[in-house]
Amino acid sequence: MNQKEIKDFLDEKVLQYNTLDFIDSDPVQIPHRFSAKEDIEIAGFLTATIAWGNRKMIINNANKMMQLMGNSPYDFVMNFSENDLENLDGFVHRTFNSDDLKFFMQSLRNIYQNHDGLEQVFAKHQTSDSMQTSISNFKQTFFEIEHPTRTSKHISDPLNNSAAKRINMYLRWMIRDDKQGVDLGIWKSIPTSILSCPLDVHSGNVARKLNILTRKQNDAKALKELDTKLREMDANDPVKYDFALFGLGVFEGF
């Protein structure tokens, strides 16, 4: 396929998968359960943090986190006691455990008390064409308070050559608003045009088969290469193609 044929093909797949039906089997359903901005962004952040592995397990464990927080994420973050944190004991999703979750509660409180919330931290270091520096600075802010050394691995840093798939997916959820109802689009201070595709094994493999990605590793260099191609197809909303690449890989075995 030539460039136009690839774009037309992917545009069709975006229309196929970027629909409300997508929510039923995707972790994005967790933040959709809330209506207040802070609840949505905290629920989304925690869900995206554990979004690797089996999707049903991700959704089940994200539900457990919400239940442990009394299904009031922002209220829990701002008002938890030591006893409340002890109630998190026993939580585990793969390598993310209760110690990690307890620190995340403490760091989120610090972000809302001292940095005006998640949106403000991410918006502060955006550039005209990328969120990668912003993500790196977000990690620095997130771990500015005392923390377990092991926990820092759960937030990726693009400036250390990570594709930062989960954070880029989270940003898509929070920022992208195309009226289809899948992404939540509650953050208005960051343009969709500078978002990056959540690059994982599925989207990466499909992109390589379509010859819009040549680099073999799914790292920051591969992400930049893929972003460049996707922005040529749609400069204003390049990450809409995540639906096409992911859908082709997961649902069609492309």
Side-chain angles (χ1 to χ4, degrees), residues 6 11 19 66 76 95 105 129 139-140 146 148 161 170 181 220 242 252:
I6 292 170
D11 283 339
T19 68
M66 297 307 110
F76 185 92
T95 63
M105 298 299 108
D129 63 353
K139 179 167 185 173
Q140 292 180 30
E146 187 177 351
N161 202 29
Y170 173 63
D242 181 38
E252 298 187 36

Side-chain angles (χ1 to χ4, degrees), residues 203-245:
S203 55
N205 287 344
V206 172
R208 290 181 188 95
K209 288 177 182 177
L210 291 170
N211 294 316
I212 56 174
L213 177 60
T214 59
R215 187 169 174 81
K216 290 181 170 57
Q217 299 95 326
N218 289 330
D219 57 11
K221 292 176 182 176
L223 185 64
K224 185 172 183 180
E225 179 187 352
L226 180 60
D227 281 345
T228 299
K229 289 289 190 179
L230 298 183
R231 289 171 189 183
E232 289 172 1
M233 297 183 198
D234 190 330
N236 293 319
D237 187 16
V239 292
K240 74 181 186 185
Y241 292 111
D242 181 38
F243 288 98
L245 297 175

